[in-house]
Amino acid sequence: MAAVNWPREEALKILSQHPNNDRPILFETGFGPSGLPHIGTFAEVVRTLFVLQALKAEAPDREAKLFVFCDDLDGLRSLPENVPNHELLRPHLGKPLSAIPDPFGTADSFSGHMNGKLREFLDQYGFAYEYKSSTQAYRSGAFDQGLKAVMDRYDKVRELFVSTIGEDKREAWSPFFPICQSCGKVYTTRVLSVDPGNYTLDYACDKDEAAYKSCGHQGQMSVLGGNAKVGWKVDWALRWFVFGVDYEMYGKDLMESASLSGKICRALGGKPPVPYKYELFLDESGAKISKKIGNGISMGQWIKYAPLGALLHFLLGNPNKAKKMGLPILPKLVDEYLQSARTETAGELFSAPWFLSQIQHQPLQDTPELASDLTYSLLFNLSEALSIFEAPLLYDYALKYDPKVGEQSEFYLDLCQRICRLALDQKEVAQEPEPLSLDLTFLPQLQKLALHLESLGDQVTDGEELQTYLFGLAKELDLNPRDWFAFLYGALLGKAQGPKIGPFFAIMGPKRALAMVTQALERIGG
C-alpha cells in the first residue's frame, strides 16, 4: 500500500524550522468571502489539516492549531454571477463585505452568509479549526500592534511595495485603505498624508470607479481600531506578524504576492511562515474555477452527489499537479476513492485512509473499508440508462450484481441515493445531444451480440465473461477493439464513451441488455 508522502514532507520541513517546543505551531488558511465558497476554498483547509495531522504523527508532543481567516473587511468590487438580488447589492459596491446586506436574506451580512457556508461544511464533519474574522481583528484592536508597526516602518513598507508597481501609481500608493466615515466605502478613498507619531492619516473619498462612486468626503482618522485597513498584500504580512503564523499554503497565482508579503513581514520584525505553493483547480474544460462564476463543483454539489470521503481523497492527491473537477468527471473521482477504500487500510500510517480517518476523528481500522468492486460509474450509467431514480431500486440491482454490497449496506444505500440525485438532476438539465456518426462496419457484430444475449435468457451473467465475449466479437473480424467499444457507446447510449460494457450488461441483466441492443438495431436500421 502506497503512503501519501507530501503532507509528511511538509510536516518535517515545519519541524526543522521550528525545533523548539515553546509554543503551539500555528497553521493558517485564508478565505475571501466575495462569493459562495467553492472546493478550492475548502481544499486549502483540508490540505492544511493533512499536514497538521502528519506533524502530530511525527511529533506527538507538539501542540498545533489551525486558524481559518476570513477577509471580510475587503470591499466588494463587482457583482458575483452566482448570487441573487443584484439590485440590493449594487448600492453597496465598494463597501466592506461585512457591511453589505446578505443577498440570500439569511445572515447579518454578505460575508456572514459566505463564510457561514464554509463553516457549516467544516463543522458538519468535525474538522478542527479556529475561525478568525478580519473585521473583528481590526475593530477589536487585535491588529493594532501590527498597524502601529506598519506606520512605524511606513517608508520601508512603502519602498518594498512600490518597487512592484508601475511608476504612475507609486506616488499615490499607501498601505492604508481608510473606510470612509461618510459613505462607508473602502475602495473610493485615498490617503493624503500620514502622521506616524499619532498613528493618524488624512484622506479623501474621491476615487470613482465604473461600478461605484465616491462621496467627496474628506477627514482625519486613527489607523487603529478598524477605522482603516491595509491592502491585502500588507494585510497578509500583518496577520503573519501579529498571529505568528508558522505555515500557510497558497495557489501558484499568488507566488509573487507571497514573496512580497514575506519581505514586509520581516520589515515589521516578524518571521514569515513556511510556505507551500499548490497548483490551481480547473473545471472539466480546463478553466480556472472561480467563486464569482461558480464553475467547477460547489461544496453543495459534493454533499449532494458524492461521499465526503471522495472529496477528501481527491484533495489528498499531489497539490503540485493541476486537477480538473466538474460534474461530468465526478463519477471517475468517486471511483478513485472507492478503489482506495477497498485496497488500503486506515491502520497503515500515512496511507490515504489513514489521513481521511485522522481529520474526521474516526477509528483506525486494520481492514479495508469496502469489499465490493462495484463502481460509482457503473451504477450511475445504469441509473441513467434505465431511468432508475429511486435509491432502494438501484441498491437492489447492486446487491444482485455483487452480494458483497450487503456487507456495507448503509454505505451503498447512501451511495445509491447520491447517484440517483445526480442522474435525475442531470436528466432535468440535459440538452438533446448531437447525433454521433456510427461506423456501420460493426453492425453485424451488434446483431451477433443480440443473439448471444437472447440465448442467455434469465440466467445470471458474469460481467467479465461478457466483456471477454465482446472483445472476441471484435477479434473475429480483426476490428480495432477501441473502435468497436466506441461504436457500442454511440449506438447504445448515444455517448462517445461510457462504462465497461460487460459489467454494465451484467448488472442490468440479459433481458434488459437485449432490449437496449434491439432498440439500437431498430434505430440504425439493423
Side-chain angles (χ1 to χ4, degrees), residues 280-326:
L280 303 178
F281 288 109
L282 310 173
D283 66 16
E284 65 274 13
S285 66
K288 177 185 172 183
I289 61 172
S290 164
K291 291 190 293 290
K292 291 189 176 182
I293 297 174
N295 57 336
I297 306 177
S298 72
M299 290 190 296
Q301 288 172 320
W302 268 104
I303 294 171
K304 188 176 183 181
Y305 301 136
L308 175 70
L311 171 57
L312 299 181
H313 184 269
F314 173 74
L315 297 177
L316 187 56
N318 187 347
N320 280 314
K321 293 182 179 179
K323 292 178 174 58
K324 288 185 178 181
M325 58 167 64

Side-chain angles (χ1 to χ4, degrees), residues 43-242:
E44 199 168 293
V45 177
V46 170
R47 285 169 165 171
T48 303
L49 286 171
F50 287 145
V51 177
L52 192 152
Q53 289 299 329
L55 185 141
K56 287 184 174 180
E58 289 291 340
D61 60 324
R62 298 297 297 270
E63 185 181 349
K65 58 183 178 180
L66 169 64
F67 283 177
V68 175
F69 191 91
C70 175
D71 291 305
D72 56 3
L73 204 59
D74 287 355
L76 184 65
R77 295 183 183 273
S78 60
L79 297 170
E81 296 177 16
N82 60 342
V83 302
N85 292 323
H86 280 194
E87 292 311 308
L88 171 69
L89 299 176
R90 201 178 307 278
H92 298 281
L93 287 174
K95 292 182 181 179
L97 294 161
S98 57
I100 297 174
D102 173 19
F104 296 90
T106 61
D108 60 355
S109 66
F110 186 99
S111 62
H113 183 93
M114 304 307 169
N115 68 51
K117 286 295 181 183
L118 176 63
R119 295 176 69 183
E120 176 185 339
F121 197 68
L122 297 176
D123 294 344
Q124 182 177 354
Y125 299 104
F127 298 131
Y129 70 97
E130 186 175 335
Y131 172 74
K132 293 288 184 180
S133 157
S134 178
T135 299
Q136 293 171 2
Y138 274 98
R139 291 180 180 170
S140 69
F143 277 171
D144 282 357
Q145 172 198 359
L147 293 168
K148 287 181 178 180
V150 173
M151 188 68 95
D152 291 341
R153 298 162 179 81
Y154 191 88
D155 290 340
K156 180 60 178 177
V157 171
R158 197 174 185 286
E159 176 189 338
L160 288 169
F161 198 100
V162 298
S163 65
T164 67
I165 59 177
E167 291 189 14
D168 58 322
K169 299 178 181 178
R170 293 180 180 180
E171 183 177 352
W173 186 86
S174 170
F176 293 102
F177 281 61
I179 300 172
C180 181
Q181 294 156 309
S182 177
C183 68
K185 293 175 183 172
V186 67
Y187 289 149
T188 54
T189 60
R190 62 187 179 92
V191 174
L192 301 176
S193 63
V194 295
D195 181 353
N198 292 308
Y199 301 110
T200 61
L201 57 77
D202 294 305
Y203 74 96
C205 180
D206 59 3
K207 288 168 54 182
D208 290 341
E209 300 288 344
Y212 46 89
K213 304 299 180 184
S214 60
C215 71
H217 177 77
Q218 291 193 21
Q220 184 181 84
M221 64 169 58
S222 167
V223 300
L224 310 178
N227 294 303
K229 69 181 298 292
V230 288
W232 84 266
K233 294 176 186 178
V234 183
D235 189 274
W236 209 2
L238 177 71
R239 284 163 17 202
W240 294 344
F241 171 70
V242 171

